[in-house]
Amino acid sequence: MDGENRIILNVGGIRFETYKATLKKIPATRLSRLTEALANYDPVLNEYFFDRHPGVFAQILNYYRTGKLHYPTNVCGPLFEEELEFWGLDSNQVEPCCWMTYTIHRDTQVSHGVNSSLK
């Protein structure tokens, strides 16, 4: 049955549905290792819950689907990096079309943090 091959991920209150095989495309990541024995699995709702940023997760799930990691411009670089780290992904995989925007956002946030701590 097709339903046995699908998985529901509730991320920050937004439900995402995909195939289990999609999540296996990138090994050694949090999503590739999901099992029903994990504490964040809800057997009543038949879904996994993660209290994470759903907007960033949409890009992360798209990466599993397409093999291309794009940077969402509506979040700061450090938040994006934090989400990638949580999911077990490498920021060096950001696509060339998004790399400059991502590094500018990341570096701006880092320099503002450094400057504000020196004042």
Side-chain angles (χ1 to χ4, degrees):
M1 268 172 76
D2 190 45
E4 293 175 7
N5 295 319
R6 289 185 292 187
I7 190 167
I8 298 171
L9 306 164
N10 180 333
V11 180
I14 307 293
R15 295 177 84 213
F16 297 86
E17 188 169 348
T18 192
Y19 291 103
K20 292 176 183 178
T22 300
L23 302 181
K24 300 290 185 192
K25 288 182 179 180
I26 305 173
T29 61
R30 186 177 300 268
L31 292 175
S32 70
R33 296 187 298 257
L34 291 179
T35 69
E36 293 178 2
L38 294 173
N40 58 343
Y41 177 72
D42 183 333
V44 175
L45 298 175
N46 191 32
E47 68 182 25
Y48 294 86
F49 178 76
F50 298 94
D51 192 16
R52 307 301 298 188
H53 194 289
V56 173
F57 184 74
Q59 294 300 326
I60 289 170
L61 184 55
N62 192 54
Y63 176 44
Y64 280 84
R65 290 174 173 150
T66 67
K68 298 179 185 301
L69 180 59
H70 293 280
Y71 171 65
T73 56
N74 61 334
V75 299
C76 66
L79 170 64
F80 185 62
E81 282 183 331
E82 185 179 302
E83 290 298 304
L84 290 178
E85 185 177 325
F86 175 81
W87 297 108
L89 300 171
D90 184 356
S91 63
N92 290 322
Q93 299 304 311
V94 171
E95 286 295 301
C97 61
C98 296
W99 185 253
M100 286 300 291
T101 304
Y102 164 62
T103 56
I104 288 168
H105 280 219
R106 181 193 63 197
D107 295 346
T108 300
Q109 293 295 322
V110 169
S111 70
H112 283 334
V114 170
N115 289 341
S116 63
S117 66
L118 296 175
K119 292 180 181 176

